[in-house]
Amino acid sequence: MVVAVVTDSTAYLPTDVVARYGIEVVPCYVVLAGRSGREGEDVTPEDVARALSSRGQKVSTSRPTPGDFVAAYRRLLAGGADRVVSIHLSADLSGTWDAARLAAAQVGEHLVTVVDSRSTAMGTGFAVLAAARAAAGGATAAEVAADANGTAARTRTLFVVDTLEHLRRGGRIGAAASLLGTALAVKPVLHVVDGRVVPLERVRTSARALSRLVQRATEAAGGPGAAIAVHHLAAPQRAERLATELRQAIPGIREFHVSELGAVVGAHVGPGAVGVVVAPADEPPPGDDEDPETPEA
């Protein structure tokens, strides 16, 4: 059985990895300066960072259309795939999963399996990679989807933003809204839990926030064999510092990616955002994702 793997552009997979595994990437859309463009093709992270830093310029995003997914699925099936597994960012953060589900119903749900990663960025990307590797090894569609779901469930996504305003405007912060009133006094460390962005803890400086990202990521890795990704928007120096400290703190990293966030996620976190995604080799300790919000002493 030949299983094709599809994702959307918010997985932010390295281009060489996409090419190596033949992963189909369906782009989301970004509306910038009155024009709509495809993420990664027509609109770059630099375009978004520049617009968000300019007074009066608005950036909005939208999902791929069901028709975009239908076209991709039919092309892959016509090209020799027997089944398609389509893996996307959290349905609580975007309508992308729903668009893929509608497309699957048109093409045939016996042919297309749609997976909600309950995450975003490389939180989705590592699930896609697990699926692509399983498919390359000859796994069935059910096995490919199971590998994607298992990896997504184990993966931790943590990040720090310069301001919560962009998340607030886009309606993506959920429980983090409680921090808006003190956003100038603290630097919230956020994470993605069951598909939603929620606060993890509050610290008082950017330096302390980066330090906590390293500590939390090290705990999430749980030992050798973890895969790590560092993301940023218009903050390459902070990202490189974070990457260096993670390499020193976490033993036996099996793969490491550093990349700038694309336009869609970047539009919601804003310039200066940095984050880390950890896919541990094995299951994390029980209750690891239940960590309550912890203010800095």
Side-chain angles (χ1 to χ4, degrees), residues 24 42 82 90 136 151 201 206 225 229 242 249 257:
E24 181 80 11
D42 307 314
D82 300 301
S90 170
T151 298
E201 62 180 284
S206 294
L242 178 59
H257 307 283

Side-chain angles (χ1 to χ4, degrees), residues 5-236:
V5 175
V6 176
T7 190
D8 58 81
S9 56
T10 68
Y12 303 133
L13 289 160
T15 55
D16 62 320
V17 172
V18 169
R20 185 186 316 150
Y21 289 102
I23 298 166
E24 181 80 11
V25 179
V26 178
C28 296
Y29 294 93
V30 181
V31 179
L32 182 67
R35 64 182 178 88
S36 176
R38 293 166 295 182
E39 178 177 37
E41 298 177 22
D42 307 314
V43 182
T44 67
E46 292 78 12
D47 294 332
V48 168
R50 190 179 310 113
L52 292 175
S53 299
S54 301
R55 185 181 299 275
Q57 286 207 35
K58 295 182 179 180
V59 180
S60 60
T61 62
S62 62
R63 69 183 190 179
T65 67
D68 292 336
F69 283 116
V70 167
Y73 298 157
R74 287 180 173 163
R75 182 171 59 253
L76 292 167
L77 292 166
D82 300 301
R83 290 286 303 273
V84 174
V85 175
S86 197
I87 305 153
H88 302 288
L89 82 162
S90 170
D92 283 327
L93 297 176
S94 168
T96 300
W97 174 85
D98 192 53
R101 184 185 58 81
L102 292 171
Q106 291 185 48
V107 174
E109 293 179 340
H110 63 295
L111 296 173
V112 182
T113 301
V114 181
V115 174
D116 181 354
S117 74
R118 310 301 294 160
S119 191
T120 189
M122 280 297 289
T124 302
F126 282 131
V128 175
L129 276 177
R133 287 164 177 156
T140 66
E143 291 167 338
V144 169
D147 276 8
N149 276 313
T151 298
R154 293 194 300 272
T155 298
R156 292 289 305 277
T157 300
L158 310 105
F159 62 102
V160 176
V161 295
D162 271 354
T163 172
L164 289 167
E165 182 62 16
H166 302 296
L167 284 165
R168 184 193 67 79
R169 288 176 183 173
R172 263 64 174 193
I173 55 173
S178 63
L179 296 176
L180 279 173
T182 55
L184 294 178
V186 300
K187 287 292 182 183
V189 178
L190 308 169
H191 62 161
V192 179
V193 177
D194 194 26
R196 298 184 179 185
V197 176
V198 297
L200 178 59
E201 62 180 284
R202 292 169 288 177
V203 296
R204 300 190 185 282
T205 66
S206 294
R208 178 63 174 160
L210 290 181
S211 177
R212 291 301 289 152
L213 283 181
V214 173
Q215 293 172 26
R216 290 285 188 171
T218 302
E219 293 167 1
I228 307 292
V230 169
H231 291 304
H232 73 95
L233 181 65

